[in-house]
Amino acid sequence: MMDVALAKTDTGRAASEAFAVACSRLPGAGKVAAARQKAFEAYESLGLPHRRVEDWKYTDLRVLMREVLPLAAAPDQAALAKAGEILKAQSLGDAYRFVLVDGVFVPQLSDVGGLEDGLRARSFHEVLGTGTDQSADLFTTSATTDVMVSLNAAMTTDGVIIEVGDRISLTKPIHVVHVTTVSSASAFTRSRLTIGKAARVTLIESFVAADDAKSYQAHDALIVAVGDGADVAHIRLMADADDATNISSAIVTVGGEAKLNLFSLTSGGRLSRYQVFATLEGEGSDVFFNGVSLLKDTQHADMTLVVDHAVPHCTSREVFRAVVDDRAHSVFQGKIIVRPDAQKTDGKMMTRALLLSDGAEADSKPELEIFADDVTCGHGATIGALDDSLLFYLRARGLSEKEAQALLIQAFVGEAIESIADDGLRDVAIGAAERWLAARE
């Protein structure tokens, strides 16, 4: 029988070359190398997800992204200088800041010293360099088999590992900043946040870029473990360059009697997908997810949430708002899973999209998978335009059409933004929304 070798596509060759480069830039001996190789094989067997994959049917990466770009080089002094200038414009108040530039953790721009008791931070690269068996665990997760999470595990070059001890209430937020300074390149980062029992933590994530950074790809994964009785607020602000791609995943486990409040605002990027896989592992936990997408031009933004109720007596709420202008496309996929033993579950989700033009598009797919009989669950979705009667009312009181629209849009997204408990951070989110509104023609 003749041996037949399958020829790789250009996309496959690009990914293989990027993987080879990633291996050369990270410690990769023993179990670490094996974990990376296994992750890449999982990706390579399927390739970029496409519309025939149910979880990706609205975000076909083979069409929208097409290929994996070469890895960005480690930042030089010019790149670090650019990043420093960008950070000066980040007005999020006093916080412990950890900075990743072009996919590399930069200690000189980060708060690596003077951390309060109970808070520890190290680079992903440093942890791998220890050569311990536990370092291989950074590449694996049982929460999802998503192919892009596998690709991220294979190609990650750096990230930040943060640990908060038991019963620690941090006096300042933790701020992880992703800065891109290069064009036509990709960065793969993976970080882990471990929060001890009864701890109180606020985590902020920001994605920003230099003015001359164009057509890049940001691939990120964040693994969060919330301890029993902990109280965690997580705010994510994605303002990448207008022609950038951002594929990010959050893999979260929540302990008993814990509270997690996650807010995400997407206003940048040409193509983005933010996917959250949350597993409620301890009884009595409360989880809230609030998201806003502000889209214009030809932007495509996908918000995908999977909440797995694995134990009884837990509550989850999902509220998502999308404002879509021009020929932009918003996608929301929300799934609540209730396992057979998860009695007394209370899970609800609501998604609403506001279309501002005839060319705008929104797809919503809320789902429930319920295997228990004593639960309270529900979902809803609406898609529509601005209310003409309300516009007329505001115009009749002296507002211009643009001012009237802005007021109604602010009210529309306000329910999600109000979920941010910290006044300063809530003002930051409101400011981002106001800047987007002001930029509308």
Side-chain angles (χ1 to χ4, degrees):
M1 180 181 294
M2 182 183 296
D3 291 334
V4 178
L6 296 177
K8 286 188 176 181
T9 63
D10 290 340
T11 297
R13 281 192 292 271
S16 295
E17 292 169 1
F19 177 60
V21 172
C23 288
S24 69
R25 286 175 53 178
L26 268 182
K31 291 185 178 181
V32 170
R36 288 166 64 83
Q37 183 63 42
K38 181 179 179 181
F40 186 74
E41 289 172 357
Y43 164 78
E44 197 173 33
S45 66
L46 298 172
L48 290 175
H50 49 84
R51 62 186 178 86
R52 291 189 297 277
V53 179
E54 181 63 25
D55 291 342
W56 290 82
K57 65 181 296 184
Y58 299 112
T59 304
D60 188 334
L61 293 190
R62 292 188 182 179
V63 173
L64 296 170
M65 193 173 86
R66 300 180 66 86
E67 65 176 350
V68 178
L69 294 176
L71 277 177
D76 55 17
Q77 288 302 315
L80 296 182
K82 285 184 183 179
E85 292 300 315
I86 294 169
L87 293 173
K88 291 178 182 179
Q90 292 286 303
S91 57
L92 296 184
D94 195 15
Y96 295 114
R97 192 165 62 188
F98 305 101
V99 181
L100 297 157
V101 179
D102 300 332
V104 176
F105 180 72
V106 182
Q108 57 265 44
L109 296 177
S110 303
D111 295 321
V112 292
L115 301 179
E116 60 189 273
D117 291 341
L119 174 61
R120 184 186 185 193
R122 295 172 290 166
S123 74
F124 187 95
H125 196 285
E126 176 189 349
V127 174
L128 291 186
T130 63
T132 61
D133 290 345
Q134 289 79 6
S135 61
D137 294 340
L138 297 174
F139 293 99
T140 60
T141 172
S142 60
T144 177
T145 57
D146 182 82
V147 66
M148 297 306 287
V149 174
S150 296
L151 179 64
N152 176 278
M155 294 191 181
T156 289
T157 55
D158 213 343
V160 58
I161 310 300
I162 301 171
E163 299 168 325
V164 180
D166 293 346
R167 292 172 292 281
I168 297 296
S169 295
L170 294 182
T171 59
K172 298 190 293 187
I174 296 168
H175 188 191
V176 178
V177 190
H178 299 260
V179 183
T180 301
T181 69
V182 296
S183 299
S184 302
S186 66
F188 285 82
T189 52
R190 174 169 285 226
S191 298
R192 172 169 289 182
L193 174 62
T194 303
I195 302 166
K197 297 178 180 179
R200 293 179 60 89
V201 177
T202 296
L203 170 68
I204 309 164
E205 283 187 284
S206 296
F207 292 84
V208 293
D211 291 339
D212 57 351
K214 305 294 182 185
S215 302
Y216 60 84
Q217 293 175 0
H219 299 264
D220 181 59
L222 175 66
I223 303 168
V224 181
V226 180
D228 294 344
D231 190 341
V232 180
H234 179 189
I235 295 95
R236 179 180 183 271
L237 305 171
M238 198 283 272
D240 275 305
D242 291 341
D243 57 356
T245 295
N246 186 307
I247 308 296
S248 295
S249 305
I251 300 146
V252 185
T253 55
V254 183
E257 302 294 334
K259 296 184 183 298
L260 171 64
N261 193 327
L262 187 154
F263 173 83
S264 174
L265 174 63
T266 298
S267 59
R270 177 189 62 84
L271 165 65
S272 66
R273 173 163 164 131
Y274 180 45
Q275 48 185 17
V276 179
F277 305 94
T279 304
L280 281 60
E281 296 184 339
E283 293 189 29
S285 59
D286 296 327
V287 178
F288 302 90
F289 298 95
N290 294 273
V292 174
S293 287
L294 301 173
L295 310 178
K296 60 182 180 178
D297 300 325
T298 58
Q299 286 180 286
H300 179 110
D302 182 333
M303 167 71 81
T304 294
L305 303 176
V306 179
V307 182
D308 189 344
H309 287 260
V311 294
H313 301 285
C314 292
T315 299
S316 67
R317 293 288 185 272
E318 301 174 25
V319 175
F320 178 71
R321 299 286 183 268
V323 181
V324 194
D325 204 356
D326 303 319
R327 292 182 293 118
H329 185 189
S330 169
V331 176
F332 172 81
Q333 298 183 111
K335 179 185 290 188
I336 296 175
I337 303 171
V338 182
R339 301 296 177 180
D341 294 332
Q343 304 292 348
K344 302 296 183 181
T345 287
D346 184 357
K348 296 182 178 65
M349 76 176 81
M350 172 58 72
T351 172
R352 291 177 177 159
L354 185 61
L355 305 184
L356 302 182
S357 71
D358 293 338
E361 181 179 353
D363 289 299
S364 298
K365 191 177 76 167
E367 299 178 83
L368 301 174
E369 288 187 9
I370 301 174
F371 303 99
D373 53 13
D374 188 6
V375 303
T376 302
C377 292
H379 62 68
T382 65
I383 299 174
L386 288 171
D387 190 313
D388 287 336
S389 62
L390 291 177
L391 281 173
F392 177 81
Y393 176 86
L394 294 173
R395 294 289 306 279
R397 277 146 183 81
L399 295 180
S400 68
E401 182 174 1
K402 185 176 180 179
E403 290 172 334
Q405 289 180 349
L407 196 61
L408 293 178
I409 293 169
Q410 285 178 323
F412 177 76
V413 301
E415 179 182 356
I417 294 178
E418 286 299 318
S419 67
I420 303 175
D422 184 276
D423 292 341
L425 295 177
R426 187 167 59 249
D427 289 342
V428 169
I430 292 172
E434 290 175 344
R435 287 192 297 274
W436 183 88
L437 289 168
R440 291 184 65 221
E441 295 181 357

